[in-house]
Amino acid sequence: MAVPEGPIWDDFLTVSARIGGDVGLVQGAGGNTSLKDGATMWIKASGTWLADAATEPVMVPVDLAALRGRVLSGDLMESEIAAMTLPGGPAGLRASVEAPFHALLPGRCVIHVHCVDTIAMAILADGQARLAQRLPGVAWHWQPYVKPGVRLTMAMRAAGADRAAIIVLGNHGLIVSADTPLEAEELIADMRHRLGGDIAPSQAAMPALPALEGTGYAPAQVPDGHDLALSQALCALAGNCAIAPDFVVFFGPSVPILQPGPDLPARLSALSAQPLPLNAVVLVEGQGALIRTDAMRGTEALLAGYAQVLKRYLSNGGGEIRYFSPAECAELLNWEAEKYRQAQNRSGQGDA
């Protein structure tokens, strides 16, 4: 199958890369975009990065009619999605597990992002009501948290989410559906504007952390990450990161917060012996953020996004957060689709 050609395809790759390069919208391998082309839907492959869309083949073709038919039948199994990937895309890659809701939505271009402005609202117990205050006159749909993948798609279908061009996913992110990639990007830009706009970059300098050789940790290279340890307000929130799927998948359900002291290297060495994603990120209160040297590629970007979500949450006035239950965390960490994506990310550890 030949890759599409023409202005709309070029716009699709350009918009995908632009969105993927904005940590306020997409962190690491998160998020996905799709473009329907007749009987085929091209969608970002699981584990690849949207930021690479303009320079690397990250889109795979899917049998749109077959996938949409199985979604509408209501009995699609996640194990069937990989088999609906058509020949003609990059070898060895398979469609995102979120391909079903892309097929469900009628827009030719569908974009799903982990927009920090949206997540900061979507994690709130009263998030739907807060969003309604910010979105007067906007046709949007609120979808309470459901595990991503087929289960989420079926919940969206049952709720009539396919009738809305803008869908906010509780504890997860944002989906927009439009006729063209540029129109979809405009919907995202409007949502960001309504929900807060750009977050001021961190002014934190690289902290003077103690010697870490042999501990399995190194200082984070994203200033926002250090803000989590240097700000008392952020540090008080940062320990429980079970607020969105990717934070759990990359960090585990919680982020250890340690007090500085002469035994810090020994404590870090003990933490680094635990299986990932546990302790992938550690905060040393008043000193800075550390990342395990064996952490998955994308952990730095996820840390920056996590810090931005908490900053936006505080700037919005706070509120009761809906945290994932232990069972919800377990189903994310034990999910076959996430284990596949993690394996794809481990092929390039770090953030190179």
Side-chain angles (χ1 to χ4, degrees):
M1 174 174 294
V3 173
E5 296 179 349
I8 195 166
W9 177 255
D10 293 341
D11 285 347
F12 174 58
L13 297 181
T14 299
V15 168
S16 296
R18 189 156 54 223
I19 288 171
D22 185 340
V23 75
L25 292 175
V26 170
Q27 303 83 39
N32 33 72
T33 61
S34 69
L35 185 70
K36 300 177 178 74
D37 183 47
T40 305
M41 180 176 74
W42 290 81
I43 186 168
K44 193 203 77 165
S46 182
T48 60
W49 289 43
L50 277 178
D52 297 332
T55 57
E56 297 182 18
V58 301
M59 302 295 175
V60 296
V62 174
D63 186 331
L64 176 59
L67 180 55
R68 183 173 174 79
R70 297 291 287 135
V71 168
L72 295 179
S73 72
D75 58 359
L76 174 69
M77 304 290 290
E78 279 187 3
S79 58
E80 299 177 89
I81 298 172
M84 293 180 187
T85 303
L86 299 171
L93 297 180
R94 68 191 195 193
S96 167
V97 73
E98 293 180 316
F101 71 63
H102 286 258
L104 171 68
L105 298 176
R108 186 176 183 189
C109 179
V110 174
I111 299 179
H112 167 49
V113 291
H114 298 160
C115 170
V116 299
D117 298 298
T118 306
I119 294 174
M121 286 282 191
I123 64 175
L124 297 173
D126 62 346
Q128 182 178 9
R130 295 259 202 119
L131 283 161
Q133 295 174 357
R134 299 283 190 102
L135 303 174
V138 177
W140 66 288
H141 174 84
W142 167 261
Q143 177 60 56
Y145 176 77
V146 178
K147 177 190 169 188
V150 170
R151 195 187 305 173
L152 171 60
T153 300
M154 295 309 173
M156 290 170 57
R157 173 178 170 267
D162 55 324
R163 295 192 292 270
I166 298 171
I167 302 163
V168 177
L169 305 175
N171 288 91
H172 187 165
L174 174 69
I175 305 170
V176 297
S177 174
D179 290 335
T180 71
L182 292 174
E183 289 172 357
E185 187 179 33
E186 288 175 3
L187 290 175
I188 293 172
D190 182 61
M191 285 290 288
R192 294 182 86 177
H193 175 73
R194 291 171 181 269
L195 299 182
D198 293 338
I199 296 174
S202 171
Q203 301 300 311
M206 183 64 72
L209 288 157
L212 299 170
E213 292 82 0
T215 66
Y217 285 90
Q221 298 302 303
V222 287
D224 287 296
H226 296 302
D227 287 346
L228 293 175
L230 299 176
S231 161
Q232 289 185 346
L234 290 172
C235 198
L237 290 169
N240 188 345
C241 63
I243 59 174
D246 272 5
F247 300 143
V248 173
V249 168
F250 276 76
F251 307 154
S254 61
V255 173
I257 300 176
L258 306 182
Q259 296 297 317
D263 62 339
L264 179 62
R267 285 180 284 153
L268 291 172
S269 295
L271 291 175
S272 69
Q274 296 296 310
L276 286 170
L278 298 178
N279 314 321
V281 170
V282 171
L283 303 179
V284 182
E285 189 169 0
Q287 293 196 350
L290 309 177
I291 295 182
R292 275 175 59 165
T293 55
D294 60 347
M296 286 187 291
R297 179 175 180 241
T299 300
E300 292 267 8
L302 263 295
L303 179 60
Y306 181 50
Q308 288 192 17
V309 167
L310 295 185
K311 287 180 180 182
R312 177 62 71 207
Y313 162 82
L314 289 176
S315 71
N316 287 342
E320 180 186 351
I321 295 176
R322 180 211 176 264
Y323 291 102
F324 291 157
S325 68
E328 288 172 326
C329 290
E331 68 179 4
L332 288 168
L333 292 170
N334 296 320
W335 189 16
E336 188 278 334
E338 276 299 350
K339 290 180 180 179
Y340 171 83
R341 188 173 69 139
Q342 290 173 28
Q344 293 291 101
N345 273 281
R346 287 194 189 100
S347 65
Q349 291 176 348
D351 278 319

